[in-house]
């Protein structure tokens, strides 16, 4: 089967879905092609989910500009999409003379950039506000505007918005080869489907170099970087409810300890260069590093049970900045190397991409009207319980508890299965509802959630 589009976006990570959403605002025929059965199933599913304002990024980079803009747009647009964010603030900690000197310099640098909401805290103030930190902290930098958000619902909201407003989302559609046409490209999938596009946007994350090579480009190499995490039980939040990280080193930002928007606390990520971009294993050495960081920074957390461990893979390249490369003579736009800040930067990247395309490549007008969408707020189980209580009079399915750890009702799982962008896998259902994500990790509710999923999938 062959179909024709103005623009095809390859890759439905948080970046590709944000681009597709912004494209849906224009009178354009757009497709979003995703190799996997669900969106957000590669780099975008295994991150720290910090919504950063970009203060830590080199100011002369494109990344700095786009993350700042992405953060600002997120603050503005997330509420209408139902997406939660908590400004819990971030602390960068120093123990040694050397680290204090680095933070002093960092403080001057960030203030000089005009970020006034950025403070230098002495030891006494740190311990009076956060008494659970381990001993020996001499100073900290305090960025109260830094936040946490929902890593799964964010690309869900973007893709749902895009689809509701006219974008065609095709999952399980790996682009395996491409042919140059007189105007645009023909993209071929494994099962011989063909899509033609006047412009291709390569937003394929961790595999961007492979997709680039299909079209004959090889301007960068992927350098996948694994990050392992521990997820602590929700009891941890009473001990620790702020983003805390050590003084950065030339190797990176180090292991942080942060609350999640769902009420857990995460410890991570490690930073390991790996050869295999699919090697998302957690390792004995990695877990050891995470436990050591926890014991140094917030020793009380070591008594809290670990619910699970996971690893994500940063789509880094041999360049430190984003690789956004317009190749409009060849009807191709590369949006790659969105390493460590794509969750925060996605809406800034999308806006930048639209600015490159409209009106220079497509002289089109915005659509007259749009259909608004919103996704369920999965952040606080107590809010969910209240909402379910209110709805249960009209529909008892909201009163029937399915996942007791995360307080998810049968009604919510049923709604997720009926979404215009329905889950194709049980993990996709998990990410849309939080069912099976709690303390028992699906031990109690897993069979019933699977049964509901199977029932929906019956022909
Ligand atoms: C450990 C870690 C911690 C992080 N912490 C943060 C953080 O706190 N804050 C923050 O802002 N960012 C953070 N990030 C960065 C953020 O997660 C990434 O920048 C972002 O997810 C990149 O999104 P993407 O859409 O570019 O890539 P991806 O999410 O990888 O999406 C690319 C998509 O393309 C698809 N694809 C690939 N090849 C093909 C093909 N041939 N055909 C069709 N589809 C294809 C893939 O299946 C995938 O779904 C972190 C990342 C990691 C790994």
């Amino acid at each position: 089967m062959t179909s024709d589009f103005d623009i095809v976006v390859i890759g439905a990570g948080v970046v590709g879905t944000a681009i597709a959403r912004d494209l849906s605002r224009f009178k354009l025929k757009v497709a979003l092609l995703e190799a996997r059965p669900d969106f957000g199933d590669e780099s975008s599913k295994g991150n720290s989910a910090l919504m950063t304002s970009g203060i830590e990024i080199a100011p002369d980079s494109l990344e700095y500009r786009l993350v700042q803009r992405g953060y600002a747009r997120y603050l503005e647009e997330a509420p209408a999409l139902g997406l939660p964010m908590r400004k819990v603030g971030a602390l960068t900690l120093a123990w040694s003379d050397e680290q204090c000197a680095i933070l002093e310099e960092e403080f001057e640098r960030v203030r000089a950039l005009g970020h006034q909401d950025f403070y230098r805290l002495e030891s006494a103030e740190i311990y009076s506000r956060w008494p659970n930190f381990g001993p020996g902290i001499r100073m900290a930098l305090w960025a109260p505007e830094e936040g946490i958000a929902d890593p799964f619902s964010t690309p869900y909201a973007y893709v749902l918005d895009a689809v509701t407003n006219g974008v065609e989302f095709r999952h399980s559609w790996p682009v395996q080869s491409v042919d140059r046409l007189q105007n645009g490209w023909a993209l071929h999938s494994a099962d011989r489907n063909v899509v033609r596009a006047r412009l291709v946007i390569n937003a394929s994350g961790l595999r961007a170099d492979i997709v680039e090579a299909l079209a004959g480009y090889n301007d960068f190499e992927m350098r996948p970087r694994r990050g392992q995490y521990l997820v602590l039980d929700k009891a941890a939040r009473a001990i620790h409810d702020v983003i805390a990280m050590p003084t950065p080193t030339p190797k990176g930002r180090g292991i942080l300890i942060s609350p999640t928007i769902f009420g857990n606390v995460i410890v991570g990520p490690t930073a390991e260069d790996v050869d295999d971009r699919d090697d998302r294993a957690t390792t004995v050495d990695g877990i050891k590093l995470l436990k050591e960081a926890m014991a140094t920074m917030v020793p009380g957390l070591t008594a809290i049970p670990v619910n699970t461990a996971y690893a994500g893979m940063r789509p880094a390249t041999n360049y430190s900045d984003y690789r956004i490369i317009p190749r409009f003579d060849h009807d191709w736009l590369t949006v790659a190397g969105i390493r460590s800040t794509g969750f925060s930067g996605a809406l800034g990247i999308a806006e930048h991409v639209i600015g490159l395309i409209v009106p220079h490549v497509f002289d089109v007008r915005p659509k007259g009207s749009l259909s608004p969408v919103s996704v369920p707020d999965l952040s606080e189980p107590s809010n969910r319980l209240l909402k379910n209580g209110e709805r249960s009079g009209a529909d008892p399915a909201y009163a029937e508890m399915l996942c007791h750890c995360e307080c998810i009702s049968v009604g919510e799982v049923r709604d997720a299965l009926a979404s215009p962008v329905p889950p194709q896998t049980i993990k996709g259902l998990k990410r849309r509802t939080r069912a099976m994500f709690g303390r028992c990790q699906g031990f109690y509710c897993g069979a019933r959630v699977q049964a509901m999923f199977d029932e929906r999938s019956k022909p």
Side-chain angles (χ1 to χ4, degrees):
M1 198 180 79
T2 304
S3 12
D4 289 335
F5 294 91
D6 295 315
I7 301 180
V8 164
V9 182
I10 304 177
V14 71
V15 172
T17 54
I19 294 172
R21 173 177 179 255
D22 275 10
L23 288 172
S24 76
R25 274 47 186 160
F26 293 90
K27 291 177 182 165
L28 287 166
K29 202 169 172 230
V30 179
L32 174 62
L33 304 181
E34 168 53 51
R36 301 185 65 82
D38 206 3
F39 61 86
D41 201 23
E42 287 233 283
S43 300
S44 299
K45 74 178 173 188
N47 56 35
S48 312
L50 308 187
M51 187 49 65
T52 177
S53 60
I55 44 177
E56 76 285 3
I57 303 167
D60 52 351
S61 62
L62 181 63
E63 182 181 21
Y64 176 72
R65 191 156 60 80
L66 301 191
V67 168
Q68 280 206 316
R69 186 61 196 135
Y71 174 89
R73 279 193 71 188
Y74 196 86
L75 291 188
E76 215 175 287
E77 296 171 36
L81 290 167
L83 293 171
M85 176 188 167
R86 280 184 68 218
K87 281 189 185 176
V88 291
L91 281 167
T92 309
L93 307 170
W95 287 264
S96 67
D97 284 347
E98 197 190 346
Q99 289 175 325
C100 288
I102 293 172
L103 291 197
E104 296 284 6
E105 229 174 81
E106 179 71 359
F107 178 67
E108 297 304 331
R109 182 189 74 79
V110 173
R111 275 295 183 99
L113 285 171
H115 298 279
Q116 295 310 312
D117 222 356
F118 188 63
Y119 308 90
R120 181 188 177 290
L121 304 184
E122 301 297 338
S123 182
E125 187 176 355
I126 300 166
Y127 285 108
S128 85
R129 290 176 67 178
W130 296 281
N132 296 323
F133 277 131
I137 297 170
R138 304 249 307 272
M139 72 168 280
L141 298 181
W142 171 231
E145 291 296 302
E146 299 296 281
I148 51 174
D150 180 339
F152 310 123
S153 299
T154 298
Y156 180 35
Y158 297 164
V159 73
L160 195 61
D161 196 343
V163 167
T164 305
N165 288 293
V167 170
E168 212 171 289
F169 173 50
R170 297 194 185 174
H171 62 79
S172 312
W173 215 107
V175 175
Q176 291 216 325
S177 62
V178 303
D179 288 328
R180 186 80 174 103
L181 306 174
Q182 200 176 3
N183 281 313
W185 294 86
L187 312 179
H188 304 265
S189 77
D191 45 10
R192 298 195 183 177
N193 283 319
V194 183
V195 153
R196 282 194 296 246
R198 281 167 60 204
L199 175 71
V200 172
I201 300 177
N202 174 14
S204 59
L206 212 47
R207 292 165 218 284
D209 57 340
I210 299 172
V211 174
E212 290 285 282
L214 298 179
Y217 306 120
N218 49 22
D219 302 85
F220 55 85
E221 286 166 25
M222 294 313 293
R223 302 267 169 89
R225 227 167 182 218
R226 183 170 62 190
Q228 302 184 43
Y229 293 87
L230 293 176
V231 182
L232 305 185
D233 195 69
K234 290 188 179 175
R237 204 169 92 178
I239 300 175
H240 185 81
D241 198 21
V242 65
I243 302 161
M245 61 195 112
T247 302
T249 67
K251 284 190 178 163
R253 289 170 74 182
I255 293 167
L256 58 87
I257 305 184
S258 168
T260 71
I261 197 79
F262 313 113
N264 299 84
V265 168
I266 49 168
V267 185
T270 57
E272 305 155 61
D273 293 321
V274 290
D275 295 328
D276 177 359
R277 57 188 108 198
D278 292 315
D279 182 3
R280 287 201 191 83
T282 50
T283 64
V284 172
D285 288 346
I287 303 291
K288 192 164 164 262
L289 271 179
L290 301 178
K291 289 197 158 175
E292 283 167 6
M294 187 160 57
T296 307
M297 268 199 272
V298 192
L301 289 177
T302 55
I304 302 291
V306 172
N307 281 358
T308 188
Y310 67 92
M313 197 68 79
R314 301 170 184 87
T317 67
N318 51 324
Y319 290 86
S320 58
D321 204 352
Y322 291 171
R323 297 284 89 201
I324 300 184
I325 311 170
R327 310 173 195 273
F328 294 135
D329 287 351
H330 294 95
D331 307 314
W332 190 274
L333 173 59
T334 306
V335 184
I338 317 294
R339 284 184 310 171
S340 307
T341 49
F343 179 60
S344 312
L347 294 178
I349 296 166
E351 190 176 83
H352 178 68
V353 163
I354 300 300
L356 293 172
I357 297 174
V358 179
H360 319 291
V361 184
F362 290 93
D363 190 5
V364 282
R365 293 188 176 282
K367 286 175 184 162
S369 68
L370 294 167
S371 303
V373 300
S374 73
V375 294
D377 175 353
L378 303 179
S379 61
E380 291 288 338
S382 51
N383 291 348
R384 229 168 16 247
L385 276 177
L386 266 178
K387 207 167 173 191
N388 279 333
E390 285 162 11
R391 296 191 288 187
S392 62
D395 184 345
Y398 294 112
E400 197 180 335
M401 198 56 70
L402 181 53
C403 166
H404 288 255
C405 302
E406 294 290 306
C407 304
I408 318 285
S409 64
V410 167
E412 288 163 278
V413 172
R414 180 205 58 199
D415 292 350
L417 288 166
S419 161
V421 186
Q424 305 298 323
T425 61
I426 199 79
K427 285 189 173 162
L429 179 57
K430 239 176 116 172
R431 290 196 286 264
R432 282 166 180 77
T433 58
R434 297 276 312 145
M436 301 166 69
F437 257 127
R439 178 181 285 176
C440 87
Q441 293 287 297
F443 183 84
Y444 290 106
C445 64
R448 187 136 184 240
V449 175
Q450 182 74 52
M452 284 184 75
F453 178 78
D454 292 345
E455 184 62 30
R456 192 286 318 256
S457 307
K458 274 185 190 163

